[in-house]
């Protein structure tokens, strides 16, 4: 009788299994999502792990926390639940070796830990929500498990994704590179045109104000010149900002004086910046087409370039980074072409060398990025020695021209001073400030003397100047008369403090740079409506220096609306791009996409340099945002050879 009942019920159980499984995943999704909000519970973080699970009633404390979490739940939580449910109910098994699965599993656990740390530093300025108590550690483990399962499911989907190239379409219709470049460039320019009108005559950053003050000799406004001992007190120009861009501003100023309108001159400068950036994106699109990218991906990339407000707004911003964005994109694309092309022509190498030279001149960290990139190419392309030597020679020539010819000969001849070394010491200075702030009584007289040898004021002032998310306040106290011996003594004192209280140093660093990985950690997205409004105090007669406020308010209001929507807001989040790049490098390493990773190393090295900077800042992220579609394409593309044959006219 029982066997008959079992046989009759078995088909129904088989049909019901998927529904029970989905219900289980949905329940787990809900719990893991809500645990993200446990930290905001009304009565704070529990001290013991038992306090999380047990109170008067079994699991009462856990439900108590979840109850308060539900009150704080928002659209992001609901989206998290939906993604969790979809991935776990439909995701295929992870496709890869045991090592790949192990790496994916480790990353799936560490990524939530990083996000929890970010939240802890955002709320508490320490790792209290992670290591502050036994209960905090227990809750962290719950979150790592629940959220880690979602990330592993996402990686499972990626491991099964095949980036199919559509070669037949392009072979039937030969590609004209010139037509594609100017066509897409014009398309982007049209979509960006409204910003050119609304943000007339450009957005001026504090850095731009400093560069203009250097050019007109206003020492009181040139803060970078006041931070160094000038080689010639009559020449305020220094290498804190790239001299290349300072000279572009000089040309713009002279043109503005010639036509009696600085506003029109700077508007034209911004339009030129937009044109250069648009053409670099267009070239990126054309090369992806040449390598057989699917039409759908091309359309998505074009929409990303055309509709993401970061690009037109930064094009209309008077800032050194805009040309750097374009040049980084071109360096990555050209490097990939040289690594994978059937043959390398002399003309292509000359174009690459010229691009590298401009890239180095557009931002001071460009020389370090290229040096690190060159080392990687030499190390990982030894088998293809002939090609590697050609690429390395072209890049090295440009680096030597800049370092020896321009920086070593031309700058000294023009009495252009070197920038302050305080920029390189942003992280150590911040760690020292926190060390002084937290452990003032532990500092020995020798340490105090060494610290005050490079930082002005006294220890109490240094401790008070500590800003957990910005190094500028402590960096500004650097003594410009400090000698190399003073710096050596300071480094020794810094190491002494590190040995005494490593926790203070680690937390100071994490507090300064958690914003790179933290959703909602943006300090300032753009300069659309909050740029420096006092350019007229530097440049006499600067008409309409900030344009009309109403159009700028419109742009600012639109950005605010975009930020409030979870999907569009992700485009304006630093952390979105950081985590995408982390996933890309993991996938690229596991799938051995050597050429793609070598080309993309420019973006990764720029991240590393930024991680040693004075602040986690959206402006520093945008160059990597520009290169993202091409990096995604090359990492996921299994084919590394161009499919199309350029016609004679293209």
């Amino acid at each position: 009788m029982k066997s008959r009942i079992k046989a009759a019920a078995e088909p129904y159980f088989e049909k019901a299994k998927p529904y029970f499984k989905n219900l289980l995943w949905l329940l787990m999704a809900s719990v893991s999502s809500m645990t993200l909000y446990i930290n905001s519970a009304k009565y704070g973080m529990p001290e013991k792990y038992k306090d999380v699970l047990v109170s008067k009633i079994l699991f009462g404390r856990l439900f108590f926390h979840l109850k308060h979490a539900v009150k704080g739940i928002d659209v992001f939580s609901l989206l998290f639940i939906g993604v969790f449910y979809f991935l776990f109910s439909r995701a295929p098994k992870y496709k890869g070796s045991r090592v790949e699965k192990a790496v994916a599993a480790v990353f799936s656990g560490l990524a939530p830990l990083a996000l929890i740390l970010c939240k802890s530093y955002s709320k508490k300025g320490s790792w209290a929500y992670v290591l502050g108590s036994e209960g905090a550690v227990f809750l962290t483990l719950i979150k790592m498990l629940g959220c880690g399962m979602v990330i592993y499911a996402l990686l499972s989907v990626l491991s099964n994704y095949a980036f199919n190239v559509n070669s037949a379409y392009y072979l039937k219709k030969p590609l004209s590179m010139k037509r594609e470049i100017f066509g897409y460039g014009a398309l982007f320019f049209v979509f960006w045109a409204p910003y050119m009108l609304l943000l007339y005559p450009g957005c001026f950053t504090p850095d731009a104000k400093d560069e203009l003050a250097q050019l007109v000799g206003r020492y009181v406004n040139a803060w970078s010149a006041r931070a160094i001992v000038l080689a010639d007190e009559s020449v305020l120009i220094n290498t804190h900002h790239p001299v290349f861009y300072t000279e572009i501003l000089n040309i713009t100023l002279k043109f503005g004086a010639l036509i009696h309108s600085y506003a029109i001159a700077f508007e034209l400068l911004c339009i030129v910046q937009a044109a250069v950036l648009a053409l670099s994106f267009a070239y990126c699109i054309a090369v992806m087409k040449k390598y057989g990218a699917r039409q759908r991906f091309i359309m998505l990339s074009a929409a990303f370039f055309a509709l993401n407000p970061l690009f037109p707004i930064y094009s209309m911003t008077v800032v050194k980074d805009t040309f750097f964005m374009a040049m980084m994109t071109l360096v990555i694309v050209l490097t990939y072409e040289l690594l994978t092309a059937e043959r390398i022509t002399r003309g292509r190498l000359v174009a690459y060398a010229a691009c590298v030279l401009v890239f180095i001149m557009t931002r001071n960290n460009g020389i370090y990025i290229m040096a690190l990139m060159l080392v990687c190419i030499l190390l990982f392309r030894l088998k293809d020695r002939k090609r590697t030597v050609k690429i390395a020679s072209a890049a090295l020539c440009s680096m030597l021209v800049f370092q020896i010819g321009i920086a070593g000969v031309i700058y000294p001849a023009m009495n252009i001073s070197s920038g302050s070394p305080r920029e390189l010491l942003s992280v150590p200075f911040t760690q020292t400030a926190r060390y002084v702030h937290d452990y003032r009584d532990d500092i020995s007289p020798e340490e105090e003397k060494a610290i005050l040898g490079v930082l002005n004021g006294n220890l109490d002032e240094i401790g008070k100047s500590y800003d957990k998310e910005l190094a500028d306040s402590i960096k500004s106290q650097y003594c410009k008369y400090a000698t190399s011996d003073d710096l050596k003594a300071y480094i020794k004192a810094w190491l002494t403090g590190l040995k005494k209280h490593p926790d203070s140093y680690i937390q100071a660093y994490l507090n300064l740079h958690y914003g790179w990985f933290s959703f909602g950690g943006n300090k300032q997205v753009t300069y659309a409506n909050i740029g420096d409004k006092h350019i007229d105090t530097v440049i006499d007669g600067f008409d309409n220096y900030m344009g009309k406020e109403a159009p700028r308010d419109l742009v600012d209001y639109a950005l605010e609306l975009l930020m409030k929507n979870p999907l569009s807001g992700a485009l304006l989040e630093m952390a979105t791009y950081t985590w995408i790049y982390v996933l890309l490098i993991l996938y690229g390493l596991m799938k051995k996409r050597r050429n793609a990773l070598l080309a993309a190393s420019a973006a990764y090295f720029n991240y590393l340099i930024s991680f040693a900077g004075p602040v986690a800042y959206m402006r520093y992220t945008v160059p990597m945002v520009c290169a993202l579609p091409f990096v995604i394409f090359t990492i996921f593309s299994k084919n590394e050879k161009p499919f199309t044959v350029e016609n004679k006219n293209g």
Side-chain angles (χ1 to χ4, degrees):
M1 182 68 178
K2 290 182 180 179
S3 59
R4 287 183 181 179
I5 296 174
K6 184 178 180 181
E10 191 169 352
Y12 295 100
F13 278 117
E14 289 297 323
K15 289 182 180 180
K17 265 185 182 181
Y19 297 101
F20 284 117
K21 177 186 174 183
N22 290 346
L23 183 62
L24 176 63
W25 292 134
L26 186 59
L27 179 62
M28 290 177 65
S30 303
V31 173
S32 62
S33 176
M34 286 187 289
T35 56
L36 290 172
Y37 288 84
I38 286 181
N39 288 338
S40 61
K42 184 176 179 181
Y43 294 103
M45 182 64 64
E47 288 295 323
K48 301 290 184 181
Y49 77 92
K50 292 180 180 179
D51 295 337
V52 180
L53 295 176
V54 183
S55 61
K56 293 181 180 178
I57 307 173
L58 188 64
F59 299 120
R61 188 70 176 178
L62 176 62
F63 288 124
F64 171 78
H65 278 277
L66 288 176
K67 181 181 73 173
H68 286 281
V70 171
K71 291 182 179 179
I73 208 163
D74 62 6
V75 178
F76 281 102
S77 295
L78 297 175
L79 184 64
F80 188 92
I81 293 172
V83 170
F84 190 104
Y85 173 77
F86 175 80
L87 288 176
F88 268 95
S89 62
R90 298 177 180 273
K93 291 183 179 180
Y94 195 95
K95 185 179 180 181
S97 65
R98 291 183 179 179
V99 174
E100 290 181 17
K101 291 178 181 177
V103 171
V106 171
F107 173 77
S108 299
L110 293 180
L113 176 62
L115 289 173
I116 301 164
L117 273 170
C118 289
K119 183 175 181 182
S120 182
Y121 279 103
S122 175
K123 298 291 184 184
K124 290 287 187 180
S126 69
W127 53 36
Y129 283 167
V130 178
L131 301 173
S133 66
E134 196 178 273
V137 173
F138 186 75
L139 286 175
T140 298
L141 293 175
I142 293 176
K143 297 171 190 179
M144 289 173 65
L145 177 63
C147 300
M149 293 173 71
V150 180
I151 297 171
Y152 189 83
L154 175 61
L155 294 177
S156 299
V157 173
L158 290 177
S159 71
N160 286 269
Y161 183 73
F163 199 102
N164 298 320
V165 291
N166 188 3
S167 59
Y169 174 82
Y170 297 114
L171 287 172
K172 291 177 182 177
K173 185 180 179 182
L175 180 70
S176 170
M177 290 291 285
K178 288 182 180 177
R179 191 183 308 141
E180 295 290 335
I181 292 169
F182 287 106
Y184 279 104
L187 174 70
F188 301 147
F189 208 74
V190 168
F191 273 92
W192 297 353
Y195 294 90
M196 299 176 192
L197 298 174
L198 294 171
L199 297 177
Y200 173 88
C203 309
F204 291 84
T205 64
D207 283 355
K209 180 181 177 182
D210 179 46
E211 289 176 275
L212 292 172
Q214 292 176 25
L215 291 169
V216 299
R218 288 186 181 264
Y219 185 79
V220 67
N221 297 115
W223 51 264
S224 65
R226 297 198 308 272
I228 59 175
V229 179
L230 295 168
D232 182 345
E233 292 187 1
S234 65
V235 180
L236 302 185
I237 298 175
N238 61 84
T239 60
H240 175 84
H241 307 293
V243 179
F244 175 79
Y245 194 72
T246 303
E247 286 303 315
I248 288 176
L249 296 184
N250 190 25
I251 294 170
T252 307
L253 276 179
K254 291 179 178 178
F255 181 68
L258 181 66
I259 64 174
H260 304 291
S261 176
Y262 291 116
I264 292 176
F266 277 93
E267 174 72 8
L268 290 174
L269 169 63
C270 292
I271 291 174
V272 170
Q273 290 182 162
V276 171
L277 192 61
L279 289 174
S280 71
F281 291 165
Y283 184 75
C284 175
I285 293 280
V287 171
M288 288 194 293
K289 275 193 169 186
K290 187 171 74 171
Y291 279 76
R294 295 169 63 183
Q295 190 67 10
R296 184 181 299 175
F297 185 78
I298 292 294
M299 292 174 64
L300 286 173
S301 299
F304 178 74
F305 288 139
L307 301 177
N308 192 323
L310 290 173
F311 305 133
I313 292 176
Y314 275 95
S315 295
M316 290 302 298
T317 302
V318 182
V319 66
K320 56 197 172 188
D321 300 80
T322 306
F323 283 124
F324 181 72
M325 297 170 196
M327 299 318 298
M328 173 174 279
T329 304
L330 291 176
V331 164
I332 290 174
V333 176
L334 290 172
T335 301
Y336 185 77
E337 284 190 281
L338 289 175
L339 290 170
T340 58
E342 292 290 341
R343 64 188 184 92
I344 300 177
T345 63
R346 186 177 299 175
R348 189 178 290 274
L349 283 173
V350 171
Y352 181 65
C355 182
V356 169
L357 180 60
V358 178
F359 173 67
I360 291 170
M361 292 194 299
T362 51
R363 193 164 169 82
N364 294 335
N365 56 354
I367 187 75
Y368 305 111
I369 293 171
M370 284 310 305
L372 293 168
M373 192 177 183
L374 186 58
V375 170
C376 288
I377 291 174
L378 290 171
L379 286 175
F380 297 104
R381 292 281 306 192
L382 286 176
K383 290 183 179 180
D384 194 353
R385 188 173 300 175
K386 188 176 180 180
R387 180 187 296 265
T388 301
V389 168
K390 287 181 179 180
I391 298 171
S393 298
L396 187 60
C397 283
S398 297
M399 294 166 66
L400 291 176
V401 166
F402 175 79
Q403 199 65 26
I404 297 175
I406 298 176
V409 177
I410 296 177
Y411 289 174
M414 297 175 64
N415 289 324
I416 294 175
S417 306
S418 298
S420 173
R422 69 182 190 175
E423 301 303 318
L424 299 175
L425 296 168
S426 296
V427 171
F429 283 169
T430 302
Q431 291 170 324
T432 295
R434 180 156 181 157
Y435 172 52
V436 172
H437 181 273
D438 293 346
Y439 302 103
R440 171 67 176 83
D441 295 336
D442 290 357
I443 299 174
S444 67
E446 292 79 10
E447 288 179 87
E448 181 177 0
K449 182 180 177 181
I451 292 170
L452 298 182
V454 295
L455 294 173
N456 294 316
N458 55 53
L459 289 185
D460 292 333
E461 291 172 347
I462 291 171
K464 289 178 181 178
S465 68
Y466 172 65
D467 186 334
K468 62 182 182 179
E469 296 180 359
L470 183 64
D472 286 1
S473 56
I474 182 63
K475 188 176 65 176
S476 64
Q477 293 184 238
Y478 174 73
C479 176
K480 65 181 180 180
Y481 299 106
T483 64
S484 57
D485 289 336
D486 292 329
L487 289 171
K488 289 178 184 177
Y490 167 73
I491 295 300
K492 185 178 179 181
W494 179 86
L495 289 171
T496 302
L498 177 61
K499 291 177 183 177
K500 289 182 180 179
H501 297 287
D503 61 315
S504 179
Y505 278 51
I506 294 170
Q507 295 206 68
Y509 178 80
L510 294 177
N511 235 141
L512 188 63
H513 286 295
Y514 78 88
W516 290 102
F517 295 89
S518 174
F519 290 93
N522 287 351
K523 308 294 185 304
Q524 180 178 317
V525 178
T526 70
Y527 295 88
N529 202 33
I530 49 179
D532 199 305
K533 299 184 179 183
H534 303 289
I535 303 299
D536 59 337
T537 62
V538 178
I539 308 299
D540 295 329
F542 198 128
D543 54 321
N544 296 316
Y545 60 94
M546 274 295 288
K548 295 181 179 179
E549 292 294 336
R552 291 174 184 274
D553 289 338
L554 181 62
V555 174
D556 204 44
Y557 180 67
L559 284 174
E560 190 177 337
L561 287 178
L562 290 173
M563 288 292 291
K564 287 182 178 180
N565 183 283
L567 296 178
S568 59
L571 295 175
L572 303 173
E573 277 282 359
M574 289 166 44
T576 301
Y577 301 104
T578 307
W579 284 109
I580 290 175
Y581 269 100
V582 170
L583 287 171
L584 288 174
I585 195 171
L586 281 175
Y587 186 88
L589 289 171
M590 289 190 292
K591 299 300 181 182
K592 299 179 181 179
R593 301 286 194 265
R594 183 179 59 176
N595 291 328
L597 289 174
L598 286 174
S601 64
Y604 287 106
F605 287 132
N606 196 39
Y607 262 119
L608 289 179
I609 292 170
S610 298
F611 291 165
V615 65
Y617 217 21
M618 188 67 190
R619 176 162 66 90
Y620 300 154
T621 311
V622 182
M624 285 75 86
V625 179
C626 295
L628 184 61
F630 189 80
V631 176
I632 291 174
F633 169 71
T634 55
I635 292 291
F636 280 99
S637 179
K638 294 180 180 179
N639 178 72
E640 290 190 336
K641 299 297 179 185
F643 277 112
T644 59
V645 180
E646 298 176 16
N647 60 24
K648 293 181 180 180
N649 296 325

